[in-house]
């Protein structure tokens, strides 16, 4: 997708599709007014007929208006507020993206100045438009015989207010595209079935990403290497599977440091990569078990984020770790009551083999200690309780550092990929007491998201850490079943602020 800045008169603009914002109650922007007059009041008539009323997120594609050079005019409703909130702006941009992509228009033009935002500028708008265009252009077809057709749209031009920097618009657009691609990468990995997207497949994706990239190196630890490191917890999860677990370590060195100067401490991402979660010997019920192929969406979001980080060439150091394994029952599988020793030395009584996410994450977190990270964020589809609490709109967040939690909360609002904090209070810790080990892997039926985070907190004492439970936000069920690519845009917002 190419971008350009254009400021010519909308009536005379040669384009396949001119996008015109129309407020509810027939309020025309300057552009809309010009188009209306040139076309002999066509817009006014459309509104009179009631086919389109300008309410937020609605749109109407008009073909060939008399007196207007553009082949099509896309009316998009921007509601009745003087200024749009970021969420409203997203709704509008998603609607624009869907209309443009489903048309045959090869290029389009949008006047940024015709949209007033509360709390963001037109650079944000340009970036978000690019992100939504990329995001909306994804559809899953890898394991279907008929492949999705690429959309016709090749370029988009923007009219911007005086004083707008062409370079900054280009960067904004490129960043939006990179974010969208990162999201789509996460969606694709999430959507792939468990028989294709195995731990080894995830490792290969990371290796491929590093190819030809001097800033990114990937190493993959085999089960043998993990056993040597004492990762008895992680290995207990893959014990029942014929698929080998993989610890995927991606080291991104983007920080610009003077020769001989020390590199800054890296920020760290850790993803849960259970490529299929049957529950193991504590077998899950059959209904909707297919959706447990999405149990690697934390890992997918970490890989998707790294893909975007590489594309944006962010000037910081980041280490991303993916703990990939398949949770299966078999004669070799871990049994309830088994006690394993984690890499940290803590022994764990596995009371429920379905609480496997924390078992792979704890060893990955301990492994991460060697990098002395400045901050650690783990991302995991960890508990059904997070779905019960939050549904799909926000991800649960728990942290051992209030400043980090506040930062992530802020990043969630800015990226429209929101999180909500739950308490990690000491009072919950005793629920993990075990008669036979240092700690049990479940904390009973209540406060499941919190006790899962309490478990992880035993392994994160050496750094500032936040845990994102994305069990509700990572994928949609029902007719629109599919991965969402969350929380890639949240993670990118966080990392970009660290790089600024
Ligand atoms: N992957 C699941 C969590 C999950 C369940 C995510 C449903 C999305 C939808 C996780 O491994 C799991 O099974 N958690 C158990 C923990 C319990 C045994 C303490 C759960 O939440 O039921
Ligand atoms: Mn499970
Ligand atoms: Zn799981």
């Amino acid at each position: 997708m190419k971008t350009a800045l254009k400021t010519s008169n909308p009536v005379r603009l040669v384009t396949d599709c001119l996008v015109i914002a129309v407020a509810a109650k027939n309020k025309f922007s300057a552009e809309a007014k010009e188009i209306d007059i040139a076309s002999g009041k066509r817009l006014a008539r459309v509104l009179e007929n009631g086919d389109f009323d300008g309410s937020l997120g609605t749109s109407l594609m008009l073909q060939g208006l008399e007196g207007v050079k553009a082949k099509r005019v896309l009316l998009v409703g921007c509601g009745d507020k003087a200024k749009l909130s970021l969420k409203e702006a997203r709704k509008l941009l998603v609607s624009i993206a869907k209309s443009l992509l489903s048309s045959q228009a090869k290029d389009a033009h949008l006047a940024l100045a015709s949209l007033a935002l509360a709390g963001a500028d037109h650079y944000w708008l340009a970036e978000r438009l690019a992100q939504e265009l990329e995001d909306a252009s994804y559809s899953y077809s890898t394991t279907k015989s008929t492949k999705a057709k690429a959309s016709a749209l090749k370029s988009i031009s923007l009219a911007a207010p005086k004083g707008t920097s062409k370079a900054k618009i280009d960067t904004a657009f490129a960043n939006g595209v990179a974010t969208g691609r990162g999201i789509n990468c996460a969606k694709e990995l999430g959507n792939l079935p468990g028989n294709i997207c195995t731990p080894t497949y995830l490792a290969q994706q990371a290796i491929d990403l590093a190819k030809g990239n001097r800033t990114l190196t990937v190493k993959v630890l085999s089960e043998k290497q993990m056993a040597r490191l004492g990762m008895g917890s992680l290995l207990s999860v893959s014990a029942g599977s014929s698929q080998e677990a993989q610890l995927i370590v991606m080291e991104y060195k983007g920080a610009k440091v003077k020769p001989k100067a020390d590199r800054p401490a890296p920020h760290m991402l850790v993803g849960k990569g259970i490529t299929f979660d049957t529950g193991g010997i504590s077998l899950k019920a059959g209904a909707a078990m297919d959706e447990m192929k999405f149990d690697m969406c934390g890992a997918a979001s970490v890989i998707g984020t790294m893909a975007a980080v590489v594309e944006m060439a962010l000037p910081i150091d980041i280490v991303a770790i993916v703990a990939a394994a398949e949770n299966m029952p078999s004669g070799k599988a871990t049994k309830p009551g088994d006690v394993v020793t984690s890499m940290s030395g803590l022994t764990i009584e596995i009371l429920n083999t379905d609480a496997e996410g924390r078992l792979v994450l704890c060893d990955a977190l301990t492994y991460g200690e060697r990098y002395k990270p400045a901050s650690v964020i783990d991302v995991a589809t960890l508990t059904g309780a997070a779905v019960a609490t939050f549904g799909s709109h926000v991800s649960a967040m728990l942290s051992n550092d209030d400043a980090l939690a506040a930062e992530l909360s802020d990043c969630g609002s800015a990226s429209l990929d929101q999180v909500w904090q739950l308490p990690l209070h000491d009072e919950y810790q005793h629920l993990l007491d075990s008669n036979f080990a240092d700690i049990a892997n479940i904390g009973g039926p209540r406060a499941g998201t919190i006790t899962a985070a309490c478990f992880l907190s035993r392994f994160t004492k050496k750094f500032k850490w936040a845990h994102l439970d994305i069990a509700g936000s990572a994928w949609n069920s029902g007719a629109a079943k599919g991965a969402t690519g969350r929380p890639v845009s949240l993670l990118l917002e966080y990392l970009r602020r660290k790089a600024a």
Side-chain angles (χ1 to χ4, degrees), residues 31-174:
E31 293 79 32
K33 249 179 231 147
E34 290 187 54
I35 298 290
D36 192 43
I37 293 166
S39 65
K41 301 265 172 208
R42 264 293 293 281
L43 300 196
R45 261 184 287 139
V46 164
L47 283 145
E48 264 165 42
N49 293 348
D51 290 357
F52 172 81
D53 65 1
S55 55
L56 184 71
T58 57
S59 67
L60 183 70
M61 186 71 91
L62 301 173
Q63 310 286 338
L65 292 195
E66 206 71 49
V68 176
K69 279 259 162 61
K71 259 195 203 162
R72 303 171 182 79
V73 173
L74 175 65
L75 303 181
V76 291
C78 49
D80 51 13
K81 289 219 210 113
K83 287 188 168 184
L84 295 177
S85 70
L86 297 188
K87 281 188 189 176
E88 290 166 333
R90 168 176 58 184
K91 195 166 175 191
L92 183 103
L93 294 173
V94 168
S95 149
I96 293 175
K98 288 193 173 148
S99 302
L100 288 180
L101 292 169
S102 62
S103 80
Q104 290 302 314
K106 292 189 195 61
D107 66 286
H109 178 86
L110 167 72
L112 290 174
S114 66
L115 297 169
L117 295 184
D121 56 17
H122 49 279
Y123 297 112
W124 183 91
L125 204 64
E127 175 172 333
R128 195 76 200 197
L129 171 64
Q131 180 182 326
E132 298 303 348
L133 276 169
E134 197 61 41
D135 194 336
S137 71
Y138 174 85
S139 74
Y140 180 82
S141 63
T142 310
T143 45
K144 289 185 171 190
S145 305
T146 39
K147 304 296 169 196
K149 236 177 62 198
S151 99
L153 195 67
K154 291 287 170 293
S155 73
I156 194 142
S157 64
L158 304 165
K162 269 217 172 64
T164 300
S165 145
K166 155 95 176 113
K168 271 176 81 177
I169 286 283
D170 285 347
T171 311
F173 211 84

Side-chain angles (χ1 to χ4, degrees), residues 331-385:
K332 290 187 175 147
T334 300
K335 306 169 292 300
D338 285 1
V339 174
V340 298
T341 304
S342 65
M343 184 180 174
S344 75
L346 279 182
T347 59
I348 303 166
E349 184 186 14
I350 300 177
L351 289 171
N352 189 321
T353 63
D354 197 11
E356 84 297 339
R358 60 199 82 181
L359 294 175
V360 298
L361 287 171
C362 71
D363 279 341
L365 288 163
T366 301
Y367 184 82
E369 283 177 3
R370 65 189 56 203
Y371 292 96
K372 300 192 169 50
S375 73
V376 178
I377 301 172
D378 81 74
V379 194
T381 49
L382 207 61
T383 62

Side-chain angles (χ1 to χ4, degrees), residues 406-428:
E407 241 177 299
L408 278 171
S409 195
D410 207 47
C411 291
S413 305
S415 61
L416 303 175
D417 189 350
Q418 281 175 290
V419 296
W420 202 264
Q421 192 176 7
L422 290 176
L424 191 65
H425 295 170
D426 285 343
E427 289 87 333
Y428 292 97

